[in-house]
Amino acid sequence: MTLDLAATELAAPSPAAKPPSALEAPALPAGTAPLAVDATATAVGRTPGAPATAPAVGPGTRLAHFEIVRPLGHGGMGEVYLATDLALDRPVALKLLPTAVAQDRSRRERMIREARAQARLNHPNVAHLYFIGEDRGLLFFAMEYIDGETLAARLERGPLPAEAALELTRQAALGLREAHRHGFTHRDVKPSNLMIDSHGVLKVMDFGLVTDAVAAQGDPRADVDDAGVAASALVGTPLYMAPEQGQGRAVDHRADIYALGATLHHMLAGAPPFAGGSAAELQSAHASAARVSLVSQRGRRAVGLADAVVARMMHKRAADRPASYDELIALLDQANPARTRPAGFWVRGVAMGIDLVCAALVSIPFAVVADGSGNLGLLLYFLVLAPLMVARFGTTIGHALFELTITPARGDGRVRFLRAARRYLTMSAPLALGIALEASATDSTPARAARIAVTIVGLLYPVIELARAALFSPDAGTLWDRAADTRVRYRSRTSALAPGPTATT
């Protein structure tokens, strides 16, 4: 869609709707229809509107080529109405900014510049801006009307399942990433600024407009230059605000990542991460208080994975949060079972059993050559051949039969040989100890009993550890996966859920 901030030529408005501050149209010959006055706020010669107070606005009011239908909501930056674009006969969301903004030249010009920049954003997860105009002394934006509900309205009905919360957070991150590529830091990410349309697509709203909220509320810091406002203006909602933002320090996209993490916590828990009786109390909590873990509250593996992502996003120090939106999206995908399918106990157990059979087959030649001892073949398979297969193909014979892959725990790609060898050494250490005892111990009864016991433990240890990880570990990570920083999951396939828009322009 091409976003055009130019005015549309229409039939002349009625005298009551004629903007008091508009340029007068030249006299026309009798019988000639007059042209509409250009109500675009960026029109040449346009100056701030004259009225000291905003005129009454309601259903039926005409502003430029828009007719208001009904109110949609209001906030610190003005009123929002459902309106009809009379030129294209489509619904739009019309945001009327406070009169103080329209009458202040510097703030007005900054808003127009930001609107022009925002209009260049064209992404499925960003609410589009169509038009910026001025009529009857009112400065307004015409934006995409989203037929749906805000995330805040959805959360009034209770928390979301972990998979749905992670998917919505991913879509928000995609929209924020696109905005960041165009130089925007939102500074007010919160559930009421995230809209879910009737198709389940989340759209981020109000890019670029929040920087002027301080000026609209009469904060003296509004007099600083544009760069200062863009970098450190104290705007946002204390329930979701990053510590550095609450302290008035310079912020960047990592403050938005923090606020998005607080929003994800709200989606999972049904309430924001911190509560307080005042903005100061909330800012203090974000800066120093420990967030309550969600695992103890709900106890599901998917919640545990999501909670780990929230902890990373809401780290007190900006440097310890995901450094980029690409990194954040990768973390969200890894935590979402709908996108990264983790392997469970039974399939991993059978895959390991098949690998053990393969190791036994490899040990047969060694047993023949070494006069009945195939232990060397077992060690060769688990400490050399299996790591080589993981490093080269990302899987082993047993895992490949069930479409399982062994990948780094963070990020994609292949596991290097040394890391894979460390994984299998941790897995087979008890069994290797039993083999070593068998090679060095005497034939006494105690020694024989000891090596038999150690060998049995070595064979049972992987099964017991798999069961422990499946039952108690939030990410189903075994000791050997933790030692090597790996994970076992199904090969990537298209998610059964809506994949979430990824296209950028």
Side-chain angles (χ1 to χ4, degrees):
M1 176 181 295
T2 301
L3 300 179
D4 188 359
L5 295 180
T8 305
E9 291 189 0
L10 301 169
S14 62
K18 184 177 180 179
S21 61
L23 297 176
E24 293 293 338
L28 298 173
T32 303
L35 296 176
V37 175
D38 187 355
T40 308
T42 56
V44 176
R46 173 68 67 180
T47 58
T53 58
V57 173
T61 302
R62 290 272 301 268
L63 296 176
H65 55 284
F66 302 97
E67 182 173 316
I68 292 177
V69 177
R70 59 180 172 86
L72 291 175
H74 61 87
M77 279 302 293
E79 307 289 329
V80 182
Y81 295 88
L82 172 63
T84 300
D85 183 339
L86 299 176
L88 299 176
D89 191 24
R90 64 176 175 181
V92 297
L94 213 62
K95 185 163 191 173
L96 276 60
L97 300 177
T99 305
V101 176
Q103 293 181 341
D104 186 289
R105 182 179 298 276
S106 62
R107 280 182 277 169
R108 180 178 181 278
E109 291 178 353
R110 183 163 60 240
M111 297 292 282
I112 291 173
R113 288 198 302 271
E114 290 171 350
R116 283 173 162 165
Q118 183 186 347
R120 291 195 292 269
L121 292 178
N122 185 13
H123 189 275
N125 296 118
V126 174
H128 298 153
L129 176 66
Y130 299 142
F131 184 88
I132 176 171
E134 187 174 24
D135 197 355
R136 305 178 65 185
L138 296 171
L139 185 64
F140 62 90
F141 295 91
M143 301 177 292
E144 175 185 6
Y145 171 68
I146 302 168
D147 183 16
E149 63 179 350
T150 64
L151 179 59
R154 168 59 187 85
L155 291 175
E156 289 178 358
R157 302 195 295 272
L160 296 172
E163 293 85 350
L166 288 165
E167 187 67 21
L168 290 174
T169 304
R170 182 184 194 272
Q171 293 186 43
L174 289 170
L176 291 168
R177 181 180 68 178
E178 180 67 10
H180 179 61
R181 289 172 176 172
H182 286 77
F184 284 101
T185 300
H186 195 291
R187 286 172 290 274
D188 197 21
V189 176
K190 58 184 178 181
S192 60
N193 274 339
L194 303 176
M195 196 85 178
I196 306 171
D197 71 11
S198 57
H199 301 288
V201 177
L202 182 142
K203 294 178 181 286
V204 186
M205 302 187 297
D206 277 354
F207 278 109
L209 309 186
V210 295
T211 59
D212 227 51
V214 177
Q217 297 168 4
D219 193 300
R221 281 173 299 179
D223 294 332
V224 301
D225 59 32
D226 293 348
V229 171
S232 62
L234 180 55
V235 297
T237 303
L239 284 170
Y240 310 94
M241 190 183 294
E244 66 272 19
Q245 187 173 353
Q247 295 164 1
R249 294 187 279 121
V251 300
D252 57 19
H253 67 284
R254 293 171 297 181
D256 286 349
I257 289 178
Y258 182 98
L260 186 59
T263 300
L264 175 56
H265 178 105
H266 191 166
M267 284 190 268
L268 295 167
F274 301 108
S278 66
E281 289 181 12
L282 286 169
Q283 291 168 5
S284 176
H286 280 286
S288 58
R291 183 183 62 90
V292 177
S293 172
L294 298 174
V295 179
S296 60
Q297 298 179 20
R298 301 179 63 184
R300 292 177 53 234
R301 179 190 304 171
V303 174
L305 293 171
D307 186 66
V309 178
V310 173
R312 180 82 184 277
M313 296 172 70
M314 291 188 64
H315 203 284
K316 306 297 184 186
R317 295 178 64 250
D320 293 324
R321 299 171 204 153
S324 66
Y325 284 110
D326 288 336
E327 182 181 348
L328 172 60
I329 292 167
L331 290 173
L332 293 168
D333 285 349
Q334 291 168 19
N336 192 348
R339 289 188 173 272
T340 302
R341 302 164 60 201
F345 169 77
W346 292 108
V347 67
R348 290 180 66 176
V350 174
M352 288 176 57
I354 295 174
D355 281 338
L356 185 60
V357 172
C358 294
L361 293 176
V362 170
S363 69
I364 291 177
F366 291 91
V368 173
V369 173
D371 193 21
S373 177
N375 294 334
L376 184 60
L378 290 174
L379 293 177
L380 175 67
Y381 183 87
F382 283 111
L383 298 182
V384 178
L385 295 181
L388 279 174
M389 283 188 283
V390 171
R392 177 64 180 84
F393 305 107
T395 188
T396 64
I397 296 174
H399 288 70
L401 290 175
F402 294 94
E403 297 189 344
L404 299 179
T405 183
I406 302 170
T407 64
R410 287 178 285 274
D412 294 316
R414 296 280 166 77
V415 177
R416 295 182 180 274
F417 174 79
L418 291 180
R419 183 187 292 190
R422 183 165 68 248
R423 180 181 190 274
Y424 281 98
L425 178 62
T426 307
M427 181 192 303
S428 60
L431 183 60
L433 178 60
I435 293 173
L437 289 175
E438 183 178 351
S440 60
T442 63
D443 290 332
S444 63
T445 301
R448 188 182 305 112
R451 68 173 177 263
I452 291 174
V454 172
T455 301
I456 292 175
V457 170
L459 292 173
L460 293 178
Y461 157 67
V463 179
I464 296 173
E465 174 57 17
L466 272 178
R468 183 207 65 80
L471 291 173
F472 302 109
S473 177
D475 59 355
T478 57
L479 290 176
W480 50 85
D481 282 319
R482 295 184 183 282
D485 201 23
T486 57
R487 57 180 177 153
V488 179
R489 60 180 177 88
Y490 288 94
R491 289 173 182 164
S492 298
R493 290 186 173 186
T494 302
S495 171
L497 295 178
T502 57
T504 58
T505 57

